[in-house]
Amino acid sequence: MRMKVPVFWICVAGLLAVVVHLSYVLFSPTLAMESKLDRAVAKTGVNAMAVLSPAEARTLTGLPPNGSIYAACPYNLRHGDLTIAARFPARPWTISVYGRTGTRIFSVNDKQAGVDDVSLTIKRGSDIFDMLTDSATAPEIGDGWSVEVKERRGLVLLWMADSDPAIGDRLRADLAQSKCTITPRVESVSG
Amino acid sequence: MKSIGLIIVGALLGFFTATMAISERAASSIQSRAGVWSEIANAPDAEIDPYLSARYASVGWLLPAQGDDQLLEATTDSEGSALDGDCRYLVSGKLPNVRWWQVAVMGDDDVISNDPRARPEAISSERVIGEANGEYRITLAREASPGNWISPGRGNKLRLLLTLHRDAKATTGDAMPPTIARLACG
């Protein structure tokens, strides 16, 4: 009888170890990423595009900014759909859409798009439960020009190859012409 | 008292194993490898490992773009010795048959400059000088070198990053990672 108590508590401790392990892996980094995105919003403003400095780009991506130009648009779809109107010079580029926890939702690059002036619309899932919570279950759909997301908040990241620092300023100015705008959702009136 | 102690041990064990699992070394060990190069972003259509996602999120980094892009990392030379900022290396290989690629070095000095001309920490396919035989040679050293050169700055513990932006039709053979040969140290 005396042996049952340690065995029971060892099982409890083991179960707790598993719970703590999974919770840490799944939730702790997610909270860290949310905090990071909040700081990005504080810097650039929500639903606004900003070309990132090399230091900002490295902080956000962890990659060396040399040879790359990044622009970011933290978004919030509370008041409507987001339209990204990107203007890229004729260079390799990628548009990536991330959720508020850093999850990858959608990417499109220059080869897939076939053009360098891109308009991409990001829409919120239409499920009413999804609208009220961020734990939506609606599938994400990407057709290259319109993306339906399940998270209201997130970040759009534009990347462009920059081969020569001598023309980097001009390329940054070109990318800065890209826009990130919210189109207010038209509420339907029934009856 | 024993039960409380066991619960504390269980919680600490869960925390410790989680931090270990998402640490850089543990995350690298569960990814596919090509020689000394390990893939730190998913290949097209690959499943995203939760520990890899956690590793990125824990340091506030966004995962690289999905699709035809690939990001490889090396922390040792081809002989298996850790990359050292006090050493000179020759990074060489066949020119990748992809639409854009880049070799970059990152150190542990955490010096981030807003001036891209401050030091050449990366060289891309558009700037690399190729050899007549279709290969390329990049010198990794603190001191400036003729030809293709990247500098680790003041960093000592180094890692090399190979970024490949592929065409969808590109095959693995079109972009074999380069070899990293240590030339001299000190």
Side-chain angles (χ1 to χ4, degrees), chain B residues 2-184:
Chain B
K2 279 184 180 176
S3 57
I4 294 174
L6 282 172
I7 286 177
I8 292 173
V9 167
L12 289 175
L13 186 65
F15 175 77
F16 179 73
T17 55
T19 53
M20 285 295 292
I22 64 174
S23 70
E24 194 161 339
R25 179 170 295 182
S28 294
S29 69
I30 57 174
Q31 290 146 41
S32 60
R33 288 179 175 272
V36 297
W37 296 89
S38 57
E39 190 169 346
I40 60 174
N42 69 318
D45 303 320
E47 292 290 328
I48 303 174
D49 185 281
Y51 292 96
L52 178 60
S53 296
R55 173 191 162 192
Y56 269 78
S58 65
V59 291
W61 294 348
L62 294 170
L63 281 160
Q66 283 177 305
D68 302 324
D69 301 339
Q70 195 175 22
L71 185 61
L72 298 162
E73 176 189 55
T75 55
T76 68
D77 62 24
S78 295
E79 299 296 318
S81 301
L83 295 175
D84 187 336
D86 289 329
C87 298
R88 292 171 59 88
Y89 297 91
L90 179 63
V91 181
S92 60
K94 185 181 173 188
L95 287 164
N97 184 23
V98 296
R99 62 193 178 93
W100 189 85
W101 59 272
Q102 182 185 63
V103 174
V105 60
M106 296 186 75
D108 56 356
D109 54 344
D110 284 333
V111 175
I112 305 173
S113 171
N114 276 329
D115 181 4
R117 288 156 283 205
R119 73 174 171 92
E121 63 178 359
I123 191 164
S124 67
S125 50
E126 293 165 312
R127 298 189 69 196
V128 74
I129 302 166
E131 306 283 326
N133 61 0
E135 297 186 350
Y136 67 93
R137 299 158 66 88
I138 301 169
T139 302
L140 166 61
R142 290 197 210 279
E143 307 79 27
S145 297
N148 303 310
W149 167 58
I150 53 175
S151 167
R154 287 177 289 178
N156 288 314
K157 185 181 176 186
L158 309 180
R159 59 192 187 115
L160 278 173
L161 294 171
L162 173 64
T163 309
L164 300 166
H165 290 266
R166 299 166 174 267
D167 287 330
K169 59 187 177 185
T171 64
T172 304
D174 290 331
M176 292 299 291
T179 58
I180 308 166
R182 178 180 289 193
L183 301 176

Side-chain angles (χ1 to χ4, degrees), chain A residues 46-47 73 75-85 119-124 131 179-187:
Chain A
V46 70
N47 301 327
C73 170
Y75 66 81
N76 187 331
L77 305 180
R78 183 184 183 89
H79 298 296
D81 301 330
L82 185 81
T83 300
I84 304 292
S119 181
L120 174 69
T121 303
I122 302 173
K123 300 176 180 177
R124 185 86 161 89
M131 303 291 280
K179 302 294 181 192
C180 174
T181 52
I182 281 283
T183 304
R185 196 175 292 114
V186 178
E187 301 295 339

Side-chain angles (χ1 to χ4, degrees), chain A residues 158-185:
Chain A
L158 278 57
W159 168 85
M160 183 174 67
D162 169 23
S163 63
D164 187 349
I167 61 170
D169 290 342
R170 183 174 62 78
L171 294 177
R172 293 171 69 84
D174 289 344
L175 187 61
Q177 294 178 26
S178 299
K179 302 294 181 192
C180 174
T181 52
I182 281 283
T183 304
R185 196 175 292 114

Side-chain angles (χ1 to χ4, degrees), chain A residues 103-174:
Chain A
T103 51
R104 295 187 288 193
I105 295 174
F106 178 75
S107 287
V108 64
N109 62 37
D110 56 312
K111 284 294 180 188
Q112 294 164 333
V115 294
D116 290 323
D117 288 349
V118 180
S119 181
L120 174 69
T121 303
I122 302 173
K123 300 176 180 177
R124 185 86 161 89
S126 56
D127 187 319
I128 187 65
F129 181 76
D130 298 345
M131 303 291 280
L132 297 174
T133 71
D134 272 344
S135 56
T137 55
E140 294 147 356
I141 303 165
D143 62 6
W145 311 109
S146 176
V147 186
E148 193 168 315
V149 299
K150 61 185 177 183
E151 295 181 354
R152 194 178 64 208
R153 296 176 59 214
L155 182 88
V156 179
L157 190 69
L158 278 57
W159 168 85
M160 183 174 67
D162 169 23
S163 63
D164 187 349
I167 61 170
D169 290 342
R170 183 174 62 78
L171 294 177
R172 293 171 69 84
D174 289 344

